[in-house]
């Protein structure tokens, strides 16, 4: 075997990789999403994934965050496949996502805050409960979580 | 048979064109991934606020800093900032992409692919150039221009000048290049090493007078830095650094090495040297060895070390094959490229003495890729495995393994760019919250710039979707 042939062998996997990367780049330039699930499909999924850029973009495009959006089972749990954006933010277990929604004006009224605090309590997130309801929230244990789960069933 | 061999070695415009076309394609693909990253909050926002100062205040002020002397770093940032006229994303990200194109073109201009055999090696060399871990810091971050990448361009430009035909303007260009590089980042001093090192191995693009002028400029740099401006150098307290199996913070460094810092400095030099050759340690931390001792070795780490080690093996085989010529100082151009890599590697490791960081070794990483190209081009079959069917089969497995490992690293670098885009977007999304918790309040021009960049990152140029490939443990995505 000649040296040139051997070196061509080394080039083969790299050329395959370049074709794959080129496919991704060209596809994305054309608005496609090769080698990707396309990212969050709605603001609830963006909240569940803590994807701040997608979340802000979807909200500013006018998507209704208070509608119960479908959520893929792998993002939160198989039991929660439909939730509002604030509920998904709580279920993401990241306070920063909840705060982002507050700044975007999504979590505005006391009633919503109390309901989310109860959901946070059901998910055992004391820091989030303290943030959402500093004065405390009168919750029936398990009720808020059951209400969200019921939408999936 | 002889015809076939002659064909493999014959100069061909088509081969050169194919090599450059592939190089431009590789740069364009990396450019696409770079354009997915918004201007980063952590690395860039503070610097961009500083860039509102006048040229005089900004650049002259840099001559009176402690530990660092980098006026041209700020001049470069200021130039792009002023040119952008508020189109920050387009100009700063555009500059980064332009740098990648320039890097690839300068690299190819230096290694000079001329035959179809050369063209077959170019993908391996470019995968090493763009996929080596030392390149990560030159591509993943921006401040908002990546000045480490600027230094890589200066180093490759210096190599091109040193290997060019001697002309008066080559001397002038080399001197200017040194001044710009040395006053941008300290590793820019390697421009002197490259030109002088090239002359030592017989590449005489820069004349004796030019070498003398460069050496005078180097001496002038040290006089300016230490005697006139008293800038000094970073000390142990400057930043955390890897040692052994983990990163030590500054207090730990002082506690452990305060009485004998030379031990720590020697460790940094040796580990920086090894890191380029073997992909381990990274940033002074022996991650693979730690993984072996704990029984948990990420596959990506094995691939990374295998790629570097196999590549080093190829270069070592070439040096061994050419040892008689080297001893007799009969250097071919490929010999000169490989020898210069060894010189730059040693000098770059010495410059890295204050702390270990992969990106500081990025010039050596670039020259590693060039050495890999030259070694692969110059090596005969006997150098890879000898003659006979078994030897050929072993050589084939070696080449396939080498190519596969570098392909994985190259893809991993692109996947890291994509993850970096997500992180940059999230940083901007959560920035208000972070500032509020830190009690930071932005007002006036600072707030306007912040909102502009935040809008760019979240609305105008949001990060593209993540790729499922990132979840594969084969790729070193972190």
């Amino acid at each position: 075997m000649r040296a040139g042939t051997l070196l061509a062998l080394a080039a083969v996997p790299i050329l395959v990789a370049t074709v794959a990367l080129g496919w991704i780049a060209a596809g994305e330039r054309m608005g496609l999403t090769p080698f990707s699930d396309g990212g969050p499909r709605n603001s609830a999924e963006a909240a569940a994934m803590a994807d701040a850029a997608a979340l802000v973009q979807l909200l500013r495009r006018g998507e209704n965050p208070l509608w119960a959006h479908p959520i893929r089972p792998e993002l939160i749990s198989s039991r929660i496949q439909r939730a509002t954006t604030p509920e998904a933010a709580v279920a993401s277990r990241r306070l920063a996502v909840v705060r982002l929604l507050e700044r975007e004006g999504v979590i505005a009224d006391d009633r919503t805050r109390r309901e989310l605090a109860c959901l946070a309590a059901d998910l055992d997130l004391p820091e989030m409960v303290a943030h959402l309801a500093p004065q405390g929230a009168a919750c029936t244990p398990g009720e808020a979580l059951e209400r969200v789960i019921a939408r999936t069933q | 048979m002889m015809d076939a061999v002659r064909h493999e070695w014959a100069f061909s415009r088509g081969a050169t064109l194919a090599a450059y076309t592939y190089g431009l394609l590789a740069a364009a693909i990396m450019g696409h991934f770079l354009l997915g990253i918004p201007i980063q909050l952590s690395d860039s926002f503070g610097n961009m606020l500083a860039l509102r100062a006048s040229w005089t205040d900004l650049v002259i002020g840099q001559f009176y800093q402690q530990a660092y002397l980098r006026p041209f770093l700020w001049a470069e940032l200021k130039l792009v900032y002023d040119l952008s006229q508020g189109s920050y994303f387009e100009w700063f990200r555009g500059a980064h992409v332009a740098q990648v194109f320039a890097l690839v073109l300068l690299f190819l201009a230096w290694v000079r692919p001329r035959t179809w055999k050369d063209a077959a090696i170019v993908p391996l060399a470019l995968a090493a150039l763009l996929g080596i871990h030392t390149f990560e810091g030159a591509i993943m971050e921006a401040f908002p221009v990546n000045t480490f990448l600027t230094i890589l361009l200066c180093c490759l430009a210096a190599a091109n000048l040193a290997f060019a035909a001697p002309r008066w303007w080559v001397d002038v260009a080399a001197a200017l290049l040194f001044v710009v590089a040395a006053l941008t980042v300290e590793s820019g001093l390697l421009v002197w090493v490259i030109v002088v090192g090239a002359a030592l191995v017989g590449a005489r693009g820069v004349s004796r007078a030019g070498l003398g002028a460069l050496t005078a400029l180097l001496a002038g740099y040290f006089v300016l830095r230490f005697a006139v401006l008293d800038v000094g150098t970073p000390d142990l307290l400057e930043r955390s650094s890897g040692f052994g199996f983990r990163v030590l913070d500054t207090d730990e460094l002082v506690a452990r090495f305060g009485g004998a810092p030379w031990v720590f400095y020697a460790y940094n030099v040796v580990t920086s040297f090894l890191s380029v050759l073997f992909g381990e340690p990274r940033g002074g931390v022996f991650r693979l060895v730690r993984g072996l001792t704990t029984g948990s070795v990420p596959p990506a780490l094995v691939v990374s070390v295998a790629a570097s080690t196999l590549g080093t093996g190829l270069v070592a085989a070439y040096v061994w094959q050419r040892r008689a010529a080297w001893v007799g100082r009969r250097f071919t151009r490929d010999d000169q490229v490989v020898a210069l890599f060894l010189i730059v590697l040693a000098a770059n490791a010495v410059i890295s003495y204050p702390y270990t960081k992969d990106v500081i070794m990025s010039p050596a990483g670039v020259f590693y890729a060039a050495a890999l190209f030259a070694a692969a081009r110059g090596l005969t079959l006997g150098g890879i495995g000898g003659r006979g069917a078994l030897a050929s089969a072993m050589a084939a497995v070696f080449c396939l393994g080498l190519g596969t490992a570098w392909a994985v690293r190259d893809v991993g670098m692109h996947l890291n760019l994509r993850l970096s885009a997500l992180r940059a977007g999230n940083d901007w999304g959560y920035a208000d919250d972070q500032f509020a918790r830190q009690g930071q309040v932005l007002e006036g021009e600072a707030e306007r710039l912040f909102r502009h960049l935040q809008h760019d990152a979240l609305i105008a140029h949001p990060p593209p979707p993540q790729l499922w490939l990132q979840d594969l443990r084969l790729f070193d995505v972190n």
Side-chain angles (χ1 to χ4, degrees):
Chain A
M1 203 182 295
R2 290 186 294 122
T5 313
L6 283 173
L7 293 165
L9 274 179
V12 169
I14 297 166
L15 292 175
V16 169
T18 302
V19 168
L21 292 170
W23 183 263
I24 292 169
E28 289 180 347
R29 288 281 151 203
M30 290 189 288
L32 306 173
T33 54
F35 290 93
S36 169
D37 62 8
R41 292 170 188 171
N42 53 56
S43 57
E45 283 204 352
M49 296 162 76
D51 185 337
L55 180 54
V56 171
Q57 195 168 49
L58 287 162
L59 291 176
R60 293 191 188 174
R61 271 191 204 154
E63 192 177 87
N64 182 359
L66 302 180
W67 193 65
H69 296 278
I71 299 174
R72 282 169 285 172
E74 64 270 25
L75 296 182
I76 299 175
S77 88
S78 57
R79 295 200 303 161
I80 301 178
Q81 295 186 41
R82 194 168 277 279
T84 67
T85 306
E87 287 167 351
V90 172
S92 78
R93 298 175 177 267
R94 292 178 217 197
L95 187 51
V97 185
V98 172
R99 286 190 169 128
L100 177 60
L101 290 181
E102 288 172 343
R103 273 198 316 280
E104 291 294 317
V106 174
I107 304 173
D109 61 284
D110 288 345
R111 184 168 160 246
T112 307
R113 295 184 75 85
R114 273 198 306 276
E115 285 174 1
L116 292 174
C118 291
L119 179 60
D122 289 345
L123 293 170
D124 197 19
L125 304 169
E127 192 188 357
M128 209 176 282
V129 174
H131 174 78
L132 287 164
Q135 315 298 329
C139 307
T140 305
E143 189 182 58
L145 182 58
E146 282 306 317
R147 194 173 58 245
V148 176
I149 290 171
R151 290 201 206 104
T152 301
Q153 291 160 348
Chain B
M1 179 65 184
M2 283 308 290
D3 280 350
V5 171
R6 263 199 297 274
H7 177 71
E8 180 182 289
W9 286 94
F11 285 3
S12 161
R13 273 177 195 273
T16 303
L17 186 65
Y20 274 87
T21 304
Y22 179 81
L24 292 174
L25 177 68
I29 291 170
M30 184 158 267
H32 168 79
F33 279 79
L34 260 179
L35 289 174
I37 308 176
I39 288 179
Q40 284 122 323
L41 171 66
S42 56
D43 296 321
S44 303
F45 179 57
N47 283 356
M48 287 178 74
L49 283 177
L51 291 173
R52 292 174 303 157
S54 71
W55 275 88
T56 318
D57 291 347
L58 197 65
V59 178
I60 302 295
Q62 292 305 312
F63 283 99
Y64 302 99
Q65 299 289 314
Q66 278 301 305
Y68 300 101
L69 180 59
R70 299 173 171 179
F72 275 99
L73 180 152
W74 287 94
E76 187 181 354
L77 301 186
K78 176 73 173 164
L79 179 67
V80 181
Y81 180 84
D82 284 359
L83 285 171
S84 74
Q85 299 280 312
S87 298
Y88 303 120
F89 177 85
E90 289 79 0
W91 276 84
F92 281 110
R93 273 288 165 251
H96 209 159
V97 172
Q99 283 182 311
V100 172
F101 272 96
L103 183 84
V104 168
L105 291 175
L106 282 169
F107 180 84
L108 291 176
W110 184 40
V111 298
R112 291 209 292 200
R114 295 287 176 89
T115 67
W116 284 108
K117 181 184 174 187
D118 297 352
I121 304 167
V122 162
L124 173 65
L126 290 182
L129 177 74
L130 303 176
I132 194 167
H133 60 285
T134 54
F135 188 60
E136 200 173 296
I139 196 75
M140 221 62 75
E141 303 160 349
F143 321 104
V145 171
N146 192 304
T147 40
F148 288 113
L149 195 41
T150 304
I151 295 302
L152 298 187
L153 296 179
C154 291
C155 288
L156 277 177
N160 274 286
L161 290 173
F163 279 66
R167 302 265 197 287
W168 67 267
W169 59 263
V170 171
D171 291 358
V172 175
L176 287 174
L177 202 57
F178 174 80
V179 172
V180 170
L183 294 178
T184 298
V185 179
E186 286 70 13
S187 50
L189 296 173
L190 287 172
V191 165
W192 180 85
V193 174
I194 290 162
V195 176
V196 173
L200 286 175
V201 296
R204 292 287 189 160
V206 178
S207 68
R208 280 183 189 278
L211 293 173
L214 270 182
T215 304
L217 286 171
L218 177 71
Y221 173 88
F222 284 111
V223 170
L224 181 72
R225 179 168 187 138
F226 296 105
V228 179
L229 300 173
D230 196 22
V231 172
T233 58
D235 60 21
L236 280 179
L237 285 171
E238 205 66 42
R239 60 183 75 204
S240 55
S241 189
F243 187 82
F245 294 150
R246 67 187 182 91
V247 174
L248 303 183
D249 62 33
T250 51
D251 290 341
E252 288 176 301
L253 288 172
V254 171
R256 192 178 285 201
F257 301 108
W262 64 269
V263 176
F264 176 63
Y265 296 151
Y267 175 85
N268 291 340
V269 171
V270 172
T271 54
S272 296
F273 190 89
L274 294 175
S275 179
V276 174
L277 294 177
F278 303 108
E280 167 89 349
R282 296 275 297 269
V285 177
F286 285 86
R287 296 194 305 166
L288 181 65
V289 178
R290 182 180 63 196
L292 289 171
T293 56
T294 57
S296 133
V297 181
L301 204 52
V302 176
V303 172
S304 180
V305 171
S308 290
T309 306
L310 290 175
T312 298
L314 193 77
V315 174
Y318 175 79
V319 173
W320 178 251
Q321 198 170 57
R322 297 283 306 154
R323 64 190 182 283
W326 283 37
V327 169
R329 295 188 59 79
R330 297 187 304 277
F331 292 115
T332 63
R333 186 184 165 88
D334 287 335
D335 292 338
Q336 290 170 332
V337 170
V338 174
L340 187 55
F341 157 62
L342 297 173
I343 292 168
V344 170
L345 173 62
N348 202 167
V350 170
I351 281 180
S352 301
Y353 81 92
Y355 58 88
T356 46
K357 198 175 170 192
D358 288 342
V359 73
I360 301 175
M361 293 302 292
S362 55
V366 166
F367 281 73
Y368 173 89
L372 191 57
F373 179 92
R377 173 161 64 184
L379 199 62
T380 59
L381 190 57
I384 313 177
R387 292 178 179 79
L390 181 62
S392 287
M394 284 173 62
V397 169
F398 176 89
C399 286
L400 201 55
L402 178 71
T404 303
W406 278 108
V408 169
R409 284 187 96 175
D410 189 32
V411 172
M413 187 67 80
H414 289 79
L415 297 180
N416 266 314
L417 283 171
R418 186 50 56 89
L419 183 62
S420 189
L422 175 72
R423 285 181 179 151
N426 280 344
D427 283 349
W428 283 109
Y430 301 127
D432 291 277
D433 183 40
Q434 191 191 342
F435 283 176
R437 275 184 290 144
Q438 292 169 346
Q440 279 186 279
V441 180
L442 297 174
E443 291 174 332
E445 191 55 38
E447 193 191 4
R448 271 193 290 281
L449 177 64
F450 176 83
R451 293 297 164 207
H452 184 128
L453 295 175
Q454 190 180 45
H455 181 270
D456 269 359
L458 300 179
I459 307 296
H461 305 286
Q466 298 298 291
L467 304 165
W468 55 258
L469 289 169
Q470 291 165 230
D471 298 331
L472 301 181
R473 294 184 72 219
L474 189 61
F475 301 110
D476 193 7
V477 181
N478 47 56

